[in-house]
Amino acid sequence: MSSDPRSVLSRPAPPPDATVRYGGHPDQIADVRLPGGTGPVRPLIVVVHGGFWRAEYDRTHTGPLAADLAGRGYPVAQLEYRRTGQPDGGWPTTLDDVAAGIDALPRLVAELGVADGGPPILLGHSAGGHLALWYAARTATELRGVVALAPVADLAEAYRLDLDGGAVADLLGGGPDEVPDRYALADPSAPALPVPGSPCVIIHGLADVQVPVGISRRYVDSLAGRGAEITLVELPDVEHFGLIDPASAAWPEVTAGLLTLH
């Protein structure tokens, strides 16, 4: 294993078993990995990748974790969506794509012959964690739960901290004072947005410099005070990328978090 934690971003993985399309745009697709083994039927995991919503990062870097989860008996769909830096990415298409994709994937995966494991689990990392938590708060669709890994769970705070050099402004088209209505609709920490209606497990490394753990702490405290079923797991000496690396010491904490949801 490389000593560079970012090596997981370019690590090869076995090809998916299928690629399904939830819309007409080239990025409205998801790679599907079918469950291995003959164990119990497990829920679909929809993986929402991170990369600060930018076009330079796509679903392929979640291949190693998706292959690992499929080997554990889960059907897995790696969701793709339009991202900033593309002519048609950003507000509102990035969020619209994620909502449309998650809505469609249980049916699309079932059409591949996968046994019905009930409502899906969302697994989102970084910006993908933001999108998973946002979806869970804005939808009436039944979910088994969300596991959010180092999520950008407070867009207004992420804008103030200038995470990844203006990533939030690129997504929403400005800051909270310029486009407040967009923050009210897109920010999981916005008071106007309902709390997620399904259980949420937030996992965050204390050595994370890309997304400070304080964002998750404030989000969990706020939502717990509003009645959400939410848990925060803090991991000492874990940085941002170990959470999506199945070869890392942090990965068993991620799989344990998934098991608490079914």
Side-chain angles (χ1 to χ4, degrees), residues 181-227:
D181 292 348
R182 296 181 182 184
Y183 281 79
L185 293 171
D187 191 340
S189 291
L193 204 66
V195 301
S198 51
C200 296
V201 178
I202 313 294
I203 305 176
H204 213 127
L206 297 183
D208 194 328
V209 296
Q210 277 75 23
V211 181
V213 69
I215 288 180
S216 284
R217 288 172 177 167
R218 286 187 292 273
Y219 175 75
V220 170
D221 287 347
S222 174
L223 265 68
R226 296 169 60 193

Side-chain angles (χ1 to χ4, degrees), residues 93-110:
T93 54
T94 294
L95 289 89
D96 288 346
D97 282 0
V98 168
I102 297 172
D103 286 348
L105 277 169
R107 172 183 58 82
L108 294 172
V109 173

